[in-house]
Amino acid sequence: MNATPEPPPPPPPPPTPVLASLAPQSGKGGASVRLTGTFGGATPQSYVYFRVPGGASVEGTVTTWTNTSIEVTVPPLATIGSGGPLDVVVETPGGTSAPVAFVLHEDAPPTAGALAPAAELERSQTTITGQGFGRPGTPGSALTLATRGTTPVEARIVSWTPTAVTATVPGLAALGGAGFKEVVVRTPWGQSEPVLFELGELPVIESIGPPSTSPETTIDINGHAFGPREEGRAEIVAVYEGEDAESTDTVALELTVLDWNDHLITARVPSLREMRASGVKQVQITSRWGTGEQHQLVVGDRGSITAWTRLEVHARDDDLDAGLQRGLQAAVYDARWLLGRQWQMREFDGEDAGSPILAQVRGETSRIARWRPGPVSASVSTSASAADVPSGHVPLETLVEHERILPPRDGTSTFDDRRLAAESGLHWLRLLSRHLSRPEDADKYRRRYVQWAGMRPPTEQERRTLDAGTLRHLDLAAGRAPDGALLYRDLQQALPANGGRIPDKPPIDGNDRDGFRQAVVEWFAWWDELFTQATGAGDSWTPSRMEYGFTLSTETSAGEVALSAPEYDGRRLDWYSVSVDDGDSLRADAAEPTGAPPAPFERGLVPVPVSFPGMPAPRFWEIEDAAVDFGAVHAGPTDLMRLLFVEFATVFGNDWFTIPLDGIPVGTLCRIESLTVTDTFGRQTDVTPLADSVDGFRMFDLGGRPDLLFAADALPSTIESPPLEEVVLIRDEPANLVWGIERVIAGPAGRPVDRVETWHRRAEELAAAQTPPPPGAPDLAYRLATTMPDYWIPFVLKVEEPDGQPPSRWLARASLRDQQTGELIQPLGELLEHRSPRLRLYDEVVAREGVQVRRTWQYGRGPDGSTHLWRSRRRDTGRSEGSSGLRFDVVERRNVTRG
């Protein structure tokens, strides 16, 4: 019997395809894509599919198929519907491979149609419609908003379809504030044209002045984003108790607007009847974007007069009419005593004098011609450092106080204020663009100047030491504006006075060279008008005394007169700041007068009685001003000057007259040659200076010359900036030192930098980085000395005894060492002269109460309408002594930190 043969074993199943990668990973329909991996041979059941995630699959056209490579053509866009991510898979009899992502591009960039809404607040949602946006989840697709010329900000996507995208508008801070923004749909196959979206902002009230007011008064509402008046409304809101204890009644009354702009609203508070009651109210502003947050305003109850009572003098009498009649008589019971008192005060002495009715004044005026800055002393008596006073109306404060902001135009020096450098660099671009032959080339030159001389970003050291506001300004200017400090140095050679040579960098086209030279002239003229610069005579500030010193001179018919001001503290400059210095001369040639000759004058003037606050009233029944009460002056038996002053004010004040000598030119020295007074009887009297008959103290003269009147060319008022720099000098008796405390210094961007805040920030960083003590370490630690803040600069006493001269006492600036780095700590500001290795103060400069010195910007307008901007210094009295807490050989617990 024959056995049945075994059937052959079945063939092994084909392997599952493995798709490793594809290239390119994105493209349009019809593009060729290479797939790599392990696929086996091609069979009629082998396919390559492009599948929409979660949707249908479309077969690609295979061009070549090998075991490790497949060439396939991407299906047309119409077969898939829209661009976006696709899953590519290979299917064979052995199975289906794992998908690999492929991004299908649209045939054209996206097209944006409209926004809805096209204007809204931050954090709101808006929808943009159009074509070709692709499917959601496409890598690289985003909706961005930006102000033109700034970096776009991506919005958070709420929903995305091929024809509509809904997103949340970013915040105001990210977009740089309110206004029109460009909305763009960005995809891998391009981006749409921008569509404008208006970003709004709710009104913000920052302050109300005054914060406490009365009904029917005017208030100023300060803030921003108030919008136009036509679309806004200002209201005052009050909440009152309702009919029951748990309910409230809210009343909103519209304020009467007197003036309205985007930052300030001036309005009138409603009447008390309209508001129903006084107390705390809330003010709110409504614009086209809505109602902003409320701000508190306290409305007080202004008292109202509903009845009045006439005040009458009334003697004590049962009969009212009789009492009034006796009161009006003002009878004196002891008339003999009053007459005797008048006799004692010699009020009955007849002077046989008349009242002045006319004064004839003769004199001359001499304009101040020369000046010399610097200390006034016997050792400084030469005119080598003197200079002519600038022509025109230059106020005396500006001439004396100004600091040199810009260096001399020698082609090598420049300034270090980086805020000023950025502003002047941008102004240079504006001037240059006006003189180009082709205005459209302005952007080309802007790129050249930014590339060649752009503002540099802050260094790492500056980022650790500067405040946040300064860093923001430096980061903003870096790469966007040319450095005006470099331009100030390099453009000087292009001035006509220097030959008009155009710098090599950046290159200037031939047809723009004439316009370039004109822009250079206008730019340096702008510098000349911006600041009141030095005249070349030097600096009036005396560091050793922390005050100004200067000398003026003029030519009179009697010779040269020098006026010195050795102790001007920078607060107010007027006639009383100077005195005559007979031993000084500022003439360039001792035998040759300098300046214009004096101008004589003769005037007839009408004397007027002297008046002052608290002066006794001339009418019997007139009630005198209670603001000044001379009767309340307390004087002891030896206070003769105080008693004489009170007697003059109460008894003899009406015997004095003043002569208004108006029309004297400012900036001149007036010398009175004669004064003739005509009285009511027609008699003429020649009035001589009091100094001719009385020796001793005189209040209203210039150092022994009562015939001189100095009409200083001083500004009536100035606008003063917050301190750029502030130093306080205090005496520390326990440490036997004087400390110079640099509270504020001027930073690189021209902004005040709070050194106290900087020190505390650094102390916190050092404390965080401090290594904790090892386990088991003792609780007590020895320290050589306590740590002092780096803005406390010590001064030590030095005594010098020159041969044959009395000893002099100086306060010399010293240095502490940084306990972290071991380096000497130096001041950073100009007041303590950080550039100078040696600063000495006279010991008497720092009194027991201390000294406060500040540097500020000053802005004023002269009598001719010209404006002046300069940087000045001011010395004031301090508050009291201080203590630094400096100790040596200290043992303290480790958890105690000092600074």
Side-chain angles (χ1 to χ4, degrees):
M1 182 175 179
N2 295 328
T4 304
E6 292 287 338
T16 302
V18 176
L19 176 56
S21 63
L22 53 85
Q25 296 179 347
S26 63
K28 296 182 179 180
S32 179
V33 179
R34 176 184 293 273
L35 283 63
T36 57
T38 305
F39 309 116
T43 66
Q45 292 80 30
S46 298
Y47 307 97
V48 176
Y49 290 106
F50 289 79
R51 184 173 61 201
V52 177
S57 299
V58 179
E59 182 181 354
T61 303
V62 176
T63 306
T64 60
W65 187 304
T66 66
N67 183 41
T68 59
S69 176
I70 299 175
E71 291 282 346
V72 63
T73 300
V74 179
L77 178 66
T79 61
I80 296 177
S82 60
L86 299 175
D87 290 337
V88 180
V89 297
V90 177
E91 184 176 318
T92 66
T96 303
S97 68
V100 175
F102 177 82
V103 178
L104 177 62
H105 290 185
E106 295 275 349
D107 295 335
T111 302
L115 278 167
E120 195 50 86
L121 299 172
E122 62 176 344
R123 313 300 181 191
S124 61
Q125 292 185 5
T126 184
T127 301
I128 185 170
T129 57
Q131 300 292 331
F133 296 163
R135 295 187 305 278
T138 303
S141 292
L143 185 141
T144 64
L145 292 88
T147 304
R148 178 171 297 180
T150 61
T151 304
V153 178
E154 292 190 10
R156 185 175 63 85
I157 302 301
V158 178
S159 65
W160 187 298
T161 68
T163 59
V165 177
T166 301
T168 301
V169 180
L172 286 166
L175 292 173
F180 284 96
K181 312 297 175 182
E182 293 182 345
V183 180
V184 173
V185 178
R186 189 180 65 207
T187 64
W189 49 89
Q191 66 180 29
S192 67
E193 290 295 326
V195 178
L196 289 182
F197 174 82
E198 187 178 3
L199 177 61
E201 182 179 5
L202 291 176
V204 177
I205 301 177
E206 297 173 356
S207 65
I208 298 178
S212 179
T213 186
S214 301
E216 300 183 81
T217 56
T218 301
I219 59 173
D220 289 333
I221 306 173
N222 301 280
H224 61 273
F226 294 158
R229 172 68 184 94
E230 296 77 13
E231 302 175 351
R233 185 173 68 255
E235 296 174 310
I236 185 168
V237 181
V239 179
Y240 308 101
E241 294 183 0
E243 296 181 356
D244 52 59
E246 298 180 356
S247 64
T248 58
D249 185 10
T250 302
V251 176
L253 299 174
E254 189 165 355
L255 299 173
T256 302
V257 176
L258 305 178
D259 188 23
W260 183 303
N261 59 49
D262 194 59
H263 300 279
L264 173 65
I265 297 175
T266 302
R268 182 178 292 110
V269 180
S271 64
L272 187 62
R273 177 176 298 179
E274 293 176 288
M275 292 185 293
R276 295 167 43 180
S278 59
V280 178
K281 313 294 181 183
Q282 302 295 328
V283 176
Q284 63 185 22
I285 305 298
T286 302
S287 68
R288 58 172 291 207
W289 302 107
T291 302
E293 293 186 2
Q294 297 177 343
H295 196 282
Q296 178 176 297
L297 174 67
V298 179
V299 179
D301 186 4
R302 183 173 60 182
S304 62
I305 300 176
T306 58
W308 58 274
T309 302
R310 179 175 177 178
L311 299 179
E312 300 279 2
V313 288
H314 178 258
R316 295 179 181 178
D317 197 293
D318 294 336
D319 186 354
L320 178 61
D321 293 335
L324 290 175
Q325 184 177 4
R326 292 176 57 194
L328 291 173
Q329 290 175 357
V332 177
Y333 280 94
D334 194 350
R336 288 178 297 179
W337 179 91
L338 182 59
L339 292 174
R341 186 63 176 168
Q342 289 180 288
W343 172 76
Q344 285 181 327
M345 301 301 296
R346 302 184 64 180
E347 293 186 23
F348 297 146
D349 290 354
E351 298 178 354
D352 195 20
S355 299
I357 59 173
L358 181 65
Q360 198 73 19
V361 181
R362 294 178 60 252
E364 64 181 18
T365 58
S366 305
R367 183 163 294 277
I368 300 298
R370 302 269 291 174
W371 85 294
R372 180 185 63 217
V376 178
S377 63
S379 61
V380 181
S381 60
T382 66
S383 60
S385 59
D388 293 336
V389 173
S391 59
H393 288 283
V394 178
L396 192 55
E397 298 105 313
T398 306
L399 185 67
V400 172
E401 298 175 3
H402 70 267
E403 299 179 3
R404 176 170 284 280
I405 301 171
L406 300 176
R409 295 176 185 172
D410 53 8
T412 59
S413 304
T414 187
F415 54 91
D416 55 3
D417 189 330
R418 293 169 66 181
R419 183 187 185 93
L420 183 59
E423 293 179 355
S424 59
L426 293 175
H427 187 63
W428 162 249
L429 293 180
R430 288 191 291 268
L431 292 177
L432 181 61
S433 64
R434 298 175 188 172
H435 297 282
L436 295 176
S437 58
R438 288 163 42 89
E440 56 269 21
D441 290 342
D443 189 61
K444 175 182 69 176
Y445 282 104
R446 182 191 64 81
R447 292 193 299 270
R448 289 181 183 179
Y449 274 100
V450 170
Q451 181 180 3
W452 170 73
M455 294 291 296
R456 64 174 179 83
T459 63
E460 292 300 324
Q461 175 65 21
E462 290 174 336
R463 293 190 182 277
R464 289 194 298 268
T465 57
L466 297 181
D467 62 299
T470 301
L471 290 176
R472 284 196 300 269
H473 182 273
L474 297 180
D475 286 331
L476 179 64
R480 291 184 174 89
D483 192 338
L486 298 179
L487 298 178
Y488 184 85
R489 180 194 64 194
D490 296 339
L491 294 182
Q492 295 177 22
Q493 57 185 310
L495 290 170
N498 298 333
R501 180 179 176 275
I502 296 180
D504 297 331
K505 293 182 180 181
I508 305 298
D509 298 342
N511 54 351
D512 292 328
R513 290 178 173 263
D514 292 340
F516 175 85
R517 292 187 179 94
Q518 182 63 29
V520 169
V521 172
E522 293 183 6
W523 193 61
F524 280 100
W526 172 76
W527 279 116
D528 295 337
E529 296 176 358
L530 185 60
F531 301 113
T532 302
Q533 282 289 91
T535 60
D539 191 357
S540 303
W541 182 255
T542 306
S544 59
R545 294 197 176 275
M546 289 293 173
E547 61 190 9
Y548 292 101
F550 63 93
T551 303
L552 309 172
S553 76
T554 185
E555 298 289 344
T556 67
S557 58
E560 183 187 17
V561 176
L563 304 175
S564 63
E567 298 178 353
Y568 171 50
D569 56 14
R571 285 184 288 185
R572 173 68 180 172
L573 187 56
D574 213 329
W575 66 269
Y576 46 76
S577 303
V578 300
S579 59
V580 175
D581 192 346
D582 294 327
D584 205 350
S585 174
L586 303 187
R587 287 179 175 176
D589 186 350
E592 188 68 24
T594 304
F601 68 89
E602 182 174 355
R603 293 180 187 169
L605 306 171
V606 178
V608 295
V610 170
S611 61
F612 50 86
M615 187 175 183
R619 297 177 63 242
F620 183 77
W621 293 115
E622 181 179 350
I623 299 178
E624 298 172 352
D625 185 8
V628 180
D629 184 6
F630 291 107
V633 176
H634 297 282
T638 58
D639 292 337
L640 298 181
M641 289 300 297
R642 186 175 296 184
L643 291 172
L644 289 173
F645 171 75
V646 173
E647 186 175 9
F648 164 80
T650 56
V651 179
F652 302 105
N654 58 354
D655 292 341
W656 291 81
F657 291 80
T658 180
I659 301 175
L661 187 60
D662 54 355
I664 299 298
V666 295
T668 61
L669 183 67
C670 177
R671 188 172 72 90
I672 305 298
E673 297 178 352
S674 66
L675 172 61
T676 302
V677 178
T678 303
D679 60 20
T680 53
F681 298 107
R683 292 177 300 184
Q684 293 185 345
T685 304
D686 292 330
V687 181
T688 60
L690 183 64
D692 295 347
S693 56
V694 178
D695 293 332
F697 172 78
R698 293 177 296 274
M699 183 178 294
F700 300 105
D701 71 357
L702 299 177
R705 292 291 301 273
D707 59 328
L708 298 179
L709 298 174
F710 178 45
D713 191 0
L715 295 172
S717 63
T718 60
I719 300 176
E720 186 177 27
S721 71
L724 286 174
E725 187 174 345
E726 181 179 353
V727 171
V728 176
L729 297 167
I730 63 170
R731 286 193 176 270
D732 185 1
E733 294 296 343
N736 198 23
L737 292 172
V738 169
W739 294 97
I741 306 174
E742 286 187 322
R743 292 180 176 175
V744 179
I745 63 171
R751 293 167 48 93
V753 177
D754 191 337
R755 292 213 62 190
V756 180
E757 177 185 350
T758 304
W759 159 256
H760 284 294
R761 187 170 66 246
R762 183 189 176 206
E764 292 174 358
E765 294 174 354
L766 294 176
Q770 187 176 7
T771 305
D779 294 338
L780 300 179
Y782 169 77
R783 300 174 63 187
L784 182 62
T786 54
T787 303
M788 293 298 301
D790 59 1
Y791 58 91
W792 284 56
I793 308 300
F795 286 77
V796 297
L797 180 63
K798 299 288 185 180
V799 180
E800 297 179 355
E801 299 183 2
D803 294 339
Q805 298 182 10
S808 57
R809 297 166 61 89
W810 297 87
L811 296 173
R813 195 187 73 199
S815 299
L816 298 176
R817 289 192 179 275
D818 192 310
Q819 296 190 4
Q820 300 295 326
T821 63
E823 299 179 353
L824 293 178
I825 299 175
Q826 302 293 343
L828 303 181
E830 296 289 343
L831 292 178
L832 295 184
E833 298 196 349
H834 66 97
R835 294 185 178 90
S836 173
R838 182 181 181 187
L839 172 63
R840 300 197 310 175
L841 306 176
Y842 284 97
D843 183 42
E844 63 268 20
V845 170
V846 185
R848 184 172 183 178
E849 61 271 14
V851 176
Q852 181 187 49
V853 188
R854 295 180 296 173
R855 290 175 69 226
T856 60
W857 285 103
Q858 300 281 348
Y859 182 81
R861 186 177 295 276
D864 61 343
S866 60
T867 58
H868 301 272
L869 177 64
W870 75 98
R871 202 161 50 198
S872 67
R873 307 182 183 196
R874 175 174 174 174
R875 190 186 79 175
D876 292 297
T877 304
R879 295 183 177 179
S880 62
E881 294 180 313
S883 176
S884 62
L886 177 64
R887 294 180 296 158
F888 297 94
D889 296 325
V890 181
V891 177
E892 59 186 11
R893 296 190 180 276
R894 291 185 180 274
N895 59 353
V896 176
T897 58
R898 307 186 66 88

